[in-house]
């Protein structure tokens, strides 16, 4: 589940990498629009980059060597959802 989909075709690997980068960019835009906070946006970017590291062998080796980074990658969806709920709650309370 943590492994990216591999194919013998190098074009397929490049296509998956490009789609991942586009997804991280969309996540960045969503995070900034949702939170309006540089710190929360940077946290979401780092969590997204942990997933993007799967497509780069050197970065993947660093992530796999650290159990904390692996745990952050595993729970990143829950962390992003928690940040989203907190941001929405703060906006609701301010109104």
């Amino acid at each position: 589940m943590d492994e990216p989909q591999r194919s013998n075709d190098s074009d397929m690997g490049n296509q998956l990498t490009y789609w991942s980068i586009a997804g991280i960019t969309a996540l960045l835009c969503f995070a900034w629009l949702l939170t309006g906070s540089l710190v929360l946006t940077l946290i979401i970017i780092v969590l997204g980059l942990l997933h993007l590291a799967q497509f780069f062998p050197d970065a993947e080796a660093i992530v796999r060597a650290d159990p904390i980074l692996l745990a952050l990658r595993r729970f990143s969806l829950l962390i992003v959802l928690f940040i989203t709920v907190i941001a929405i709650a703060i906006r609701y309370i301010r109104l």
Side-chain angles (χ1 to χ4, degrees):
M1 186 163 146
D2 284 337
E3 291 294 318
Q5 296 175 355
R6 301 270 185 217
S7 174
N8 292 336
D9 185 15
S10 65
D11 289 338
M12 184 62 168
N14 288 339
Q15 185 178 15
L16 289 174
T17 302
Y18 295 144
W19 277 110
S20 296
I21 292 170
I24 296 298
T25 303
L27 180 65
L28 166 65
C29 295
F30 169 75
W32 179 254
L33 290 173
L34 176 72
T35 64
S37 167
L38 181 62
V39 174
L40 292 177
T41 301
L42 289 175
I43 291 170
I44 293 173
I45 290 170
V46 168
L47 293 172
L49 289 176
L50 286 174
H51 286 282
L52 192 59
Q54 296 176 4
F55 297 102
F56 301 95
D58 293 335
E60 180 65 14
I62 293 170
V63 171
R64 289 220 177 257
D66 190 357
I68 294 173
L69 292 177
L70 283 174
L72 282 174
R73 180 193 283 173
R74 181 165 290 139
F75 297 114
S76 63
L77 179 61
L78 292 175
I79 295 168
V80 169
L81 289 175
F82 179 73
I83 290 172
T84 303
V85 168
I86 294 297
I88 292 171
I90 290 172
R91 282 193 179 181
Y92 179 74
I93 290 171
R94 285 185 185 172
L95 295 177

